[in-house]
Amino acid sequence: MKILVIGNGGREHAIAWKLLQSEKIQEVICIPGNGGTATMPKCRNYAGRVDDFDEIIKVARTNDISLVVVGPELPLSLGISDRLQSQNIKVFGPTQAGAEIEASKSWAKSLMQEAGIPTAKAEIFTDAAAAKAYVATQGAPIVVKADGLAAGKGVIVAPTVEEAQTAIDRLFESNFEVLVVEECLTGEEVSVLALTDGLTIRPLLPAQDHKRIGEGDTGANTGGMGAYAPAPILTPELMARVQTEVLEPAIATLQKRGIDYRGVLYAGLMISPQGDLKVLEFNCRFGDPETQAILPLLETPLEDLLLACSERKLEAQPPIAWKPGVAACVVLSSGGYPGDYQTGKVITGIAEAEDRGATVFHAGTQSQQEKLLTDGGRVFGVTGVGENFAKAIDRAYAAVNCIQFEAMYYRRDIGHRMTS
Ligand code: AMP
Ligand code: GLY
């Protein structure tokens, strides 16, 4: 079987890597892939854009592809799954209508309200004056969210009314037409990525990521600087509640809206100190870097699960099997990220890092004439697996210490909550 993976991040490298552990997989093609997917055996990159659906269909047809797995939200929100389905090409990832759950925060909020899913109290605004007046009545801290895809830059957790009002002006001025203003929740964040075929829902191990750039979870928000799984905060009791209070009502309400949702339903949750759970956001795809911490623990062949979702046969699958142990992933980024950074820096030490028993997932890298160069903000996710978090984290950092490139940055405290 041949599989086409769309995307170029660490998440897509992890998906391709996991697929290739199965003897059933003859080849994985990545569009466009990165320096890691370029050099894995039985894996090759095809230079193309994730939103060039005609080209993706052509590659799927000429290579006799059994399944297209879509990594990022952008092509999903542009309707890649609708296009592929219309050509009878199997795809893992929701349709454009389903991807609204991530692409529009106001749509997701109204779905949650309709489904009775616990979430922060919120109001939706289309003009700045009304939004600012609402903030003044609610007080701070308060959260302002842009409605569209904003690459992690559309959410402002404002500690004061003034900062919320400045954020409202800035977002309307930068051409967002709809804002969600919501109650600020406190507690610990955790992500549940569930596989679904639109009927059956199978959650993966819960994961936590470190969204902030700085140690001690400080500084600017990023795509994610590290992750670990399984997150012990989600006890079996809380997982059961996530299933019945969040995932099942979400899928039922999607069905009610005529949406046949097949892919990952990712629930970003806040667990309060009292143990209440509320949904912060839904995503329509695998998380990055959560995937780099979850997939190394997966025992079940990934293609069985993804194909079953695409074919609406998830119920017939045996329960998902996991390897013993835990995993931690440390992200290495280009200095300056999530702001401006340079690319094209020569990378060394990958073979030595892998010799330390960790798995090096590439993100922003490219191979050029035998050299490996940096090519993005997040450059690698280095995952260690161990019998406990102390060992998994040590294994990841032992490998990180072997890797070098100019202005390399990483947090030294990934998984701190698990070991302190
Ligand atoms: P979102 O894209 O909606 O998950 O927001 C990005 C980040 O902003 C989340 O991971 C949280 O850290 C923070 N955030 C979002 N909504 C809230 C909220 N209602 N209360 C507190 N923090 C929030
Ligand atoms: N790590 C957060 C995300 O993938 O959205």
Side-chain angles (χ1 to χ4, degrees):
M1 181 191 319
K2 295 185 186 175
I3 299 196
L4 177 57
V5 174
I6 307 298
N8 67 350
R11 163 183 55 206
E12 287 78 16
H13 187 186
I15 291 169
W17 169 87
K18 177 64 195 166
L19 289 168
L20 284 166
Q21 287 176 0
S22 163
E23 285 173 5
K24 282 181 284 181
I25 305 296
Q26 287 165 272
E27 188 179 34
V28 173
I29 302 176
C30 298
I31 298 182
N34 59 35
T37 55
T39 48
M40 265 194 303
K42 299 205 278 183
C43 191
R44 73 182 151 100
N45 289 350
Y46 182 95
R49 291 201 329 261
V50 301
D51 60 354
D52 186 348
F53 300 161
D54 291 334
E55 194 68 14
I56 289 169
I57 288 168
K58 199 179 93 193
V59 172
R61 286 215 187 297
T62 49
N63 291 282
D64 196 19
I65 291 293
S66 301
L67 179 71
V68 180
V69 181
V70 185
E73 61 276 18
L74 180 73
L76 293 167
S77 72
L78 296 174
I80 187 171
S81 297
D82 311 68
R83 277 293 302 284
L84 291 168
Q85 282 171 10
S86 75
Q87 301 293 310
N88 290 318
I89 297 168
K90 285 183 192 157
V91 56
F92 177 84
T95 57
Q96 187 167 31
E100 279 291 279
I101 205 159
E102 173 165 2
S104 167
K105 302 237 181 238
S106 61
W107 194 92
K109 191 56 90 172
S110 86
L111 181 116
M112 286 189 254
Q113 287 165 348
E114 184 184 336
I117 293 171
T119 184
K121 187 178 101 174
E123 293 285 334
I124 294 161
F125 296 96
T126 52
D127 91 63
K132 285 157 112 176
Y134 178 73
V135 166
T137 64
Q138 297 298 303
I142 194 156
V143 181
V144 180
K145 298 185 175 185
D147 197 48
L149 291 180
K153 303 213 167 95
V155 175
I156 296 94
V157 180
T160 63
V161 167
E162 291 69 40
E163 281 162 89
Q165 295 187 327
T166 307
I168 289 168
D169 282 332
R170 181 176 63 76
L171 290 172
F172 276 121
E173 278 158 21
S174 55
N175 287 331
F176 287 105
E177 289 174 2
V178 180
L179 299 187
V180 177
V181 180
E182 71 179 34
E183 167 198 7
C184 187
L185 302 174
T186 50
E188 217 177 295
E189 282 185 51
V190 59
S191 307
V192 176
L193 284 60
L195 302 178
T196 179
D197 62 359
L199 296 170
T200 301
I201 306 161
R202 297 272 175 90
L204 302 176
L205 294 177
Q208 280 182 292
D209 76 346
H210 293 271
K211 288 207 167 79
R212 304 296 193 95
I213 189 72
E215 281 155 23
D217 296 316
T218 55
N221 250 318
T222 70
M225 295 304 294
Y228 48 93
I233 184 167
L234 271 194
T235 56
E237 294 72 37
L238 276 174
M239 269 309 265
R241 285 182 52 203
V242 172
Q243 181 81 9
T244 56
E245 295 176 25
V246 176
L247 301 171
E248 287 171 5
I251 291 297
T253 308
L254 286 163
Q255 274 170 11
K256 224 161 76 189
R257 294 186 175 193
I259 295 166
D260 175 11
Y261 192 103
R262 306 183 195 191
V264 173
L265 181 61
Y266 165 140
L269 305 163
M270 185 75 93
I271 312 293
S272 79
Q274 295 75 34
D276 288 338
L277 66 89
K278 287 196 174 149
V279 174
L280 291 171
E281 63 164 344
F282 282 115
N283 292 322
C284 63
R285 51 167 176 85
F286 282 106
D288 187 337
E290 292 93 324
T291 304
Q292 294 90 302
I294 294 171
L295 292 186
L297 300 173
L298 180 65
E299 183 76 56
T300 307
L302 181 61
E303 69 279 13
D304 290 356
L305 296 168
L306 304 187
L307 266 173
C309 288
S310 139
E311 295 170 347
R312 268 223 151 159
K313 292 182 180 156
L314 191 55
E315 196 179 5
Q317 282 289 310
I320 299 178
W322 297 99
K323 297 180 181 169
V326 305
C329 172
V330 178
V331 169
L332 309 188
S333 64
S334 300
Y337 171 82
D340 294 340
Y341 55 83
Q342 294 181 348
T343 58
K345 307 294 180 196
V346 175
I347 301 161
T348 57
I350 300 304
E352 293 81 351
E354 284 168 341
D355 284 347
R356 299 296 175 105
T359 306
V360 179
F361 294 115
H362 294 229
T365 70
Q366 59 160 312
S367 334
Q368 234 182 46
Q369 290 149 6
E370 308 290 302
K371 277 196 180 139
L372 187 66
L373 303 177
T374 65
D375 192 35
R378 290 189 292 174
V379 181
F380 294 103
V382 179
T383 300
V385 173
E387 67 199 63
N388 57 40
F389 279 109
K391 289 190 177 158
I393 292 166
D394 276 356
R395 187 162 279 169
Y397 279 110
V400 165
N401 287 334
C402 301
I403 301 177
Q404 287 183 325
F405 57 87
E406 194 187 311
M408 178 173 107
Y409 172 81
Y410 60 92
R411 280 181 56 169
R412 286 155 210 272
D413 65 345
I414 298 305
H416 62 84
R417 284 192 218 97
M418 297 301 102
T419 51
S420 55

